[in-house]
Amino acid sequence: MANNKTGKRQDKKSGVRDTILNVVIVILTFILFITAAIFVGKTKPRVGTLYGPEPAERLIIMLQRGRYNELMQERYSNEMLGSTVEKYPAYTVPYAAADYYEAAIDYNGYIKAGDTAGAAGFKKIMDRSRAALGEYEYVADDIDALVAQSK
Amino acid sequence: MKCEHCGNNLSLEDKVCPYCGKENTLAQKHNKDMAKFEKDYAVVKNEVLTNSRRLNGLTVRITVIAVLVALIAALILCIGGSFDIRSAREERMIRAHLNEHKANIESFMDSKNYLGLYYYFQANRLAYSESLEDYYMAYSASSCYNQMLEYFGYLLHEDSYVSDEEAMERIAGTMERFAEMKDPKSDFEKKKYYKNADVVAYINNITEHSETLIKGYFGLSDEEIKEFETLSKARKQVMLEEGWKNGKQ
């Protein structure tokens, strides 16, 4: 009888202890998975995944809001991450606007510096890009006004 | 055994003596004792098994906890070295496409696609690759040009969050960096990064192009551009500010 009571007490104690240990095991397993995920994330090569290409819709919004500086940077970043016009024709207009902006800066700078021969190449890029803008041709005029503000 | 009443031989299984018919009390006592021993044995056996199960369960749990803690500690140590692991993996990926990278970089250099080269390096994590060390200065020059164009853009966009003063300071900084790249002081740098004649030509091209833009937009003369390279960064900044102000009036 006494043995029975002692046995039941011991069973209850070890039951509580086992539950606590089981909870500790579950928590440690969870921590292990999180740590492993962090390790995989930190050692994964970042090639091609640092920025991620911007969708064409976002570039169109940049264009409409006159954020040409940012547009120019995203255009190059996108293309180097594989989002070319050949693969994704939706990028034709925003890339054309970015090319026009860059070429306009170069063209105006060379003209103001007196290098008309050097400026000619940039003019060709501007003409080509303007033609690709389609309904957004007003953007080219906007860029011309922006670049010409510095006399 | 013998019957205690008539003395005849009996076995343990005989409950009564087959000779005199009296009860075999010795066998009864023996059987009672055996039953008690078996009961005690069962209780002790049960106790031993229960204790052993408890101990096994505890041992297994403690072992599992120890293994989990060891694995977590090992992973935390590896996370500490993750930069080196990642760099090694990236370098392996770069080496696997080394010829393709070199061809693309040289194509960008030939076509004077300054921003294209910069973003190509960025997208493919090539800037600090040992295999492409020869092209590092070409990347550095393109990076400088990218920064110059970015801050020039802030000057043009009046509603930008970057002030004109900061933009001028950054542009002056890039021009200072171009001057250093055209004429590196350190022999170590010259030997390490200026071995490739195409890279040296590229740096000269990009510097001339940047100087033309500075000349055009900030109203500097040819003499001032030549002198520009020798000026301090602060003096460059002042010249740019004056030139920009005069140009906008």
Side-chain angles (χ1 to χ4, degrees):
Chain A
M1 188 89 135
N3 274 347
N4 232 2
K5 277 191 181 168
T6 313
K8 278 186 182 159
R9 258 204 307 270
Q10 274 185 329
D11 277 342
K12 200 177 173 184
K13 255 195 218 169
S14 67
V16 169
R17 183 191 62 209
D18 289 348
T19 306
I20 292 171
L21 290 177
N22 288 345
V23 168
V24 168
I25 287 170
V26 166
I27 291 171
L28 285 176
T29 307
F30 179 70
I31 293 172
L32 179 67
F33 275 115
I34 300 289
T35 317
I38 293 171
F39 173 72
V40 166
K42 279 190 170 284
T43 56
K44 190 178 163 195
R46 293 162 299 177
V47 176
T49 59
L50 188 62
Y51 303 111
E54 289 287 351
E57 297 76 25
R58 234 204 103 190
L59 297 189
I60 294 281
I61 290 171
M62 275 183 209
L63 186 160
Q64 288 167 341
R65 290 182 182 173
R67 286 155 49 187
Y68 306 120
N69 209 17
E70 207 179 325
L71 182 65
M72 183 180 66
Q73 292 168 6
E74 294 296 346
R75 177 250 188 278
Y76 278 104
S77 176
N78 261 26
E79 199 172 38
M80 296 309 150
L81 291 169
S83 296
T84 59
V85 160
E86 291 74 28
K87 267 192 209 167
Y88 307 102
Y91 285 114
T92 304
V93 165
Y95 284 8
D99 289 346
Y100 190 92
Y101 174 72
E102 188 189 351
I105 288 178
D106 290 336
Y107 174 75
N108 278 275
Y110 272 63
I111 291 291
K112 285 169 187 174
D115 187 351
T116 44
F122 303 120
K123 189 72 174 73
K124 285 188 187 148
I125 298 172
M126 285 167 73
D127 293 340
R128 202 170 55 230
S129 303
R130 183 184 273 266
L133 283 169
E135 58 175 332
Y136 287 96
E137 201 181 331
Y138 70 88
V139 165
D141 299 330
D142 191 33
I143 290 172
D144 287 341
L146 186 72
V147 173
Q149 67 177 285
S150 133
K151 300 212 176 8
Chain B
M1 64 181 18
K2 290 201 183 291
C3 175
E4 56 189 355
H5 301 288
C6 65
N8 282 306
N9 285 336
L10 295 175
S11 67
L12 273 172
E13 286 80 31
D14 296 329
K15 285 194 178 148
V16 295
C17 174
Y19 299 99
C20 66
K22 295 272 174 45
E23 269 186 16
N24 185 356
T25 54
L26 289 175
Q28 280 180 2
K29 188 172 179 301
H30 171 79
N31 289 335
K32 221 192 243 177
D33 287 342
M34 283 307 294
K36 185 177 178 300
F37 291 146
E38 276 175 15
K39 191 179 165 192
D40 287 347
Y41 170 71
V43 164
V44 169
K45 182 180 167 188
N46 197 37
E47 262 180 37
V48 166
L49 283 177
T50 304
N51 283 342
S52 149
R53 262 199 296 272
R54 278 195 206 124
L55 191 62
N56 277 350
L58 180 64
T59 308
V60 164
R61 283 179 177 85
I62 288 176
T63 305
V64 167
I65 288 171
V67 166
L68 285 172
V69 167
L71 284 174
I72 291 168
L75 276 173
I76 289 173
L77 278 173
C78 287
I79 286 170
S82 61
F83 178 78
D84 292 329
I85 296 170
R86 177 195 272 159
S87 299
R89 289 181 76 185
E90 285 177 349
E91 188 65 25
R92 242 196 329 270
M93 282 178 76
I94 289 168
R95 283 203 185 120
H97 298 96
L98 191 60
N99 290 336
E100 186 189 329
H101 286 316
K102 282 185 176 175
N104 287 335
I105 291 166
E106 281 168 14
S107 167
F108 286 126
M109 281 167 53
D110 287 342
S111 58
K112 296 180 188 173
N113 189 346
Y114 308 130
L115 293 183
L117 187 143
Y118 170 74
Y119 283 98
Y120 184 78
F121 263 75
Q122 290 287 89
N124 293 286
R125 312 293 301 170
L126 305 179
Y128 301 105
S129 165
E130 285 171 8
S131 314
L132 293 169
E133 207 173 66
D134 285 358
Y135 299 99
Y136 174 71
M137 288 315 292
Y139 162 74
S140 194
S142 288
S143 171
C144 233
Y145 179 70
N146 178 61
Q147 192 180 51
M148 191 192 89
L149 220 55
E150 182 187 343
Y151 281 92
F152 184 68
Y154 292 138
L155 279 177
L156 290 178
H157 291 71
E158 285 180 358
D159 59 348
S160 81
Y161 57 86
V162 175
S163 66
D164 284 2
E165 289 72 32
E166 189 188 339
M168 303 281 185
E169 189 190 336
R170 297 291 185 139
I171 293 171
T174 61
M175 294 311 291
E176 192 170 272
R177 185 75 188 112
F178 277 131
E180 283 168 10
M181 278 191 260
K182 261 179 89 171
D183 184 22
K185 301 284 181 282
S186 150
D187 282 338
F188 171 78
E189 251 194 23
K190 274 186 208 169
K191 280 185 194 144
K192 195 169 159 95
Y193 299 120
Y194 291 80
K195 294 180 286 199
N196 189 323
D198 291 338
V199 168
V200 174
Y202 178 80
I203 291 171
N204 287 332
N205 283 335
I206 201 172
T207 309
E208 275 170 31
H209 173 72
S210 304
E211 284 173 354
T212 306
L213 294 181
I214 295 289
K215 199 171 128 187
Y217 284 107
F218 296 93
L220 303 181
S221 64
D222 283 331
E223 291 71 33
E224 281 171 327
I225 283 289
K226 276 199 183 87
E227 186 194 296
F228 201 72
E229 288 181 24
T230 62
L231 298 174
S232 68
K233 186 172 152 191
R235 185 73 196 117
K236 281 186 176 93
Q237 191 177 336
V238 166
M239 276 184 83
L240 292 177
E241 280 170 9
E242 282 170 3
W244 185 254
K245 221 183 294 182
N246 292 338
K248 288 188 87 142
Q249 282 162 3

